[in-house]
Amino acid sequence: MNVILTVLSVLGIIIGSVIGLVLLIILILLPMRVRAVVKFDDIDGFRLWAGLGPILLKLFPQSKKQKKKSNKKAEKATEKTAEEFSEDPIKTVEKAAEEQKEKAPEKPKKKGFGDYIKALKFLDYLEILNKATKHFLSKIYFQRLHLDMTVASADASKTAQMYGKLDAAIFPLLGYLNSKKKIKDGEVHIRPDFTAEKMKTVLDTEVCFRLYRALHAGIIILIYIYKNGRRKK
């Protein structure tokens, strides 16, 4: 009896420690920033990184190792497709018919999450967008926004028009973002160059949000979809 109690107490300690460790990891991860770093220039082109906290992974362009892995997957998929097509089409049809006969009669499917979404109306989608904006999109901010753009073209009049349009579009938006304190470190320079023929752009930006913001918004939206989709089945 004492042995059983000892084993149960040890199991309880192990299970409690595992649960405590999982909760601790969740509590550590939730306040962390989800980051997306975007860079662009005329030499290296577009580059994208994404990560959590201090960890960043390069998503685009792919490294040589990533390209090799994706090429191997594509080759395997091509080989499988070729094998399927190389089989006798009559035997393939007969085989499919036999498999269909062997299958047990399907039970009536329970309504899944997709059915709840299909049951929503247009106004429900607007409300979901409103909730996403309120609880998530409005919480996204720029940790860094550096833009250096030289507007140029072969025609000086076109250069002036392009510069005017960009100036009118970008700076009011920057003013709005600054008024909402959405830019921590911002530096934007746009200038016309009537002697050059090509535009030059250097962009370095980092967009962030807290992980718990996304989780909170996701839970709210899922509850709304479940309640309203269920009501309108």
Side-chain angles (χ1 to χ4, degrees), residues 3 7 18 20 38 61 91 100 141-142 151 175 185 190 206-208:
V3 175
V7 171
V18 171
V38 178
K91 288 182 180 179
Q100 191 68 27
Y141 63 94
F142 288 90
V151 182
D185 176 18
I190 302 175
E206 182 179 343
V207 184
C208 302

Side-chain angles (χ1 to χ4, degrees), residues 174-219:
L174 288 174
Y176 173 78
L177 292 173
N178 277 318
S179 68
K180 299 293 181 181
K181 297 181 179 179
K182 295 296 181 184
I183 302 176
K184 305 292 183 183
D185 176 18
E187 190 174 340
V188 177
H189 301 286
I190 302 175
R191 66 184 71 82
D193 187 347
F194 298 103
T195 60
E197 294 186 358
K198 290 184 180 180
M199 290 184 63
K200 293 180 181 178
T201 304
V202 178
L203 175 66
D204 179 10
T205 184
E206 182 179 343
V207 184
C208 302
F209 62 87
R210 300 287 177 182
L211 186 59
Y212 72 87
R213 299 283 190 189
L215 183 62
H216 178 234
I219 291 171

Side-chain angles (χ1 to χ4, degrees), residues 4 18 21 25 30 56 59 62 109 115 118 120 142 167 186 189 203 210 221-222 230:
I4 294 171
V18 171
L21 181 62
I25 292 171
L30 282 177
L56 273 178
L59 301 181
Q62 291 183 327
K109 292 182 180 179
D115 296 314
K118 288 176 183 177
L120 298 177
F142 288 90
D167 189 80
H189 301 286
L203 175 66
R210 300 287 177 182
I221 290 169
L222 286 175
R230 189 180 183 186

Side-chain angles (χ1 to χ4, degrees), residues 3 21 33 40 66-68 81 84 88 106 115 133 138 162-163 171 178 183 196 211 215 223:
V3 175
L21 181 62
R33 293 183 303 161
F40 177 83
Q66 289 173 326
K67 284 182 179 178
K68 284 182 180 178
T81 308
E84 289 174 0
D88 188 354
E106 292 184 0
D115 296 314
T133 303
S138 63
M162 289 167 57
Y163 171 72
F171 285 104
N178 277 318
I183 302 176
L211 186 59
L215 183 62
I223 291 172

Side-chain angles (χ1 to χ4, degrees), residues 139-150:
K139 309 301 180 183
I140 298 174
Y141 63 94
F142 288 90
Q143 182 66 29
R144 180 178 68 257
L145 177 57
H146 294 172
L147 175 63
D148 190 349
M149 182 182 290
T150 301

